[in-house]
Amino acid sequence: MRNPRLLIAAVAAALAVTAIAFTAVRAAQPTPVAVVDVQALLDGLDQRVQLERELEQFIAQRQAQLDTARQAMEDARAEVELAAEASPERRDALRSFREAEMTARVRGEAFQTEIQIERGRIWSTLFAEISDAVAQVAQRDGWEIVFQDDSDLSLPEGIRAERDVIEYILRKKVIYAQDSRSNITADVRTFMNNRFNAGN
């Protein structure tokens, strides 16, 4: 039979080692976490208004060029209709019409591509500015982690398949956020608008 005193001593020694091990582990500290509602932020950005105004001007310029090309095509079509059948003038008019038609089509396709590229440039610019502003506001105010707040987004009505539902759920970043303390959207918006207007 084992000596009870020896058993108690062994247990005490084991507990002491465990206590030392736990004290050696650094205790977790609270991490200041904030959220940003990107859509609400974008809605109030002065920079976005200017970028969209520049896009409208770009579209208007390209649309004018496209309209000129289409008008040239219609003028060439009218020349074909006026020319006599099987005449040299009709052959020349047909050639001019085909060239004008191709020019109008190519410009139309290029126009759509250029618009998409410009829209992509705008969103890339805004995302870079937002990322930088969030980082600066977080460093200034002591936030260590900032999430994009999508807690208000609910499951779209059209999603019913299991795979789509699960994928949507897994994509969500924030399930719940208390706006009064952790939402820094207004702070970032003010920071970005002040910086943008000062630069202008």
Side-chain angles (χ1 to χ4, degrees):
M1 184 174 180
R2 294 183 178 180
N3 188 333
R5 291 183 178 179
L6 291 177
L7 181 60
I8 293 173
V11 171
L15 290 174
V17 171
T18 303
I20 292 172
F22 273 108
T23 55
V25 175
R26 184 165 62 96
Q29 298 297 319
T31 300
V33 177
V35 295
V36 171
D37 185 335
V38 175
Q39 186 57 60
L41 176 61
L42 288 169
D43 291 341
L45 287 183
D46 296 338
Q47 185 177 9
R48 179 184 180 182
V49 174
Q50 177 170 313
L51 288 172
E52 289 184 341
R53 188 181 299 121
E54 292 173 358
L55 176 63
E56 290 174 358
Q57 295 173 353
F58 172 82
I59 291 175
Q61 293 172 355
R62 292 296 187 271
Q63 185 64 54
Q65 296 174 358
L66 180 59
D67 291 343
T68 299
R70 287 175 174 171
Q71 185 59 52
M73 181 185 70
E74 293 303 321
D75 293 344
R77 189 197 306 274
E79 292 293 330
V80 173
E81 294 174 354
L82 290 174
E85 289 285 343
S87 65
E89 292 80 7
R90 187 177 180 86
R91 286 195 299 272
D92 292 341
L94 277 171
R95 187 184 307 109
S96 297
F97 169 70
R98 293 191 186 99
E99 291 175 356
E101 183 181 37
M102 181 178 296
T103 299
R105 185 175 69 252
V106 169
R107 284 192 180 178
E109 293 171 353
F111 178 51
Q112 295 302 320
T113 301
E114 288 175 340
I115 291 177
Q116 293 302 317
I117 291 174
E118 281 299 303
R119 290 188 187 280
R121 182 186 66 81
I122 287 175
W123 287 114
S124 297
T125 300
L126 286 174
F127 180 73
E129 293 285 344
I130 288 172
S131 298
D132 180 68
V134 167
Q136 293 198 46
V137 170
Q139 292 169 9
R140 181 193 69 188
D141 298 342
W143 301 103
E144 294 185 12
I145 299 176
V146 179
F147 289 102
Q148 177 176 323
D149 185 7
D150 56 1
S151 57
D152 289 339
L153 298 180
S154 57
L155 192 69
E157 295 181 0
I159 295 182
R160 292 187 176 87
E162 178 186 15
R163 182 181 64 181
D164 296 335
V165 172
I166 292 175
E167 182 180 355
Y168 178 83
I169 292 172
L170 295 178
R171 280 206 312 264
K172 280 190 72 69
K173 303 173 185 66
V174 178
I175 303 299
Y176 169 77
Q178 186 174 346
D179 289 344
S180 60
R181 288 185 296 182
S182 61
N183 194 309
I184 61 172
T185 303
D187 297 333
V188 176
R189 182 191 302 120
T190 300
F191 178 87
M192 292 186 68
N193 285 339
N194 288 342
R195 181 173 65 178
F196 175 72
N197 291 319
N200 284 341

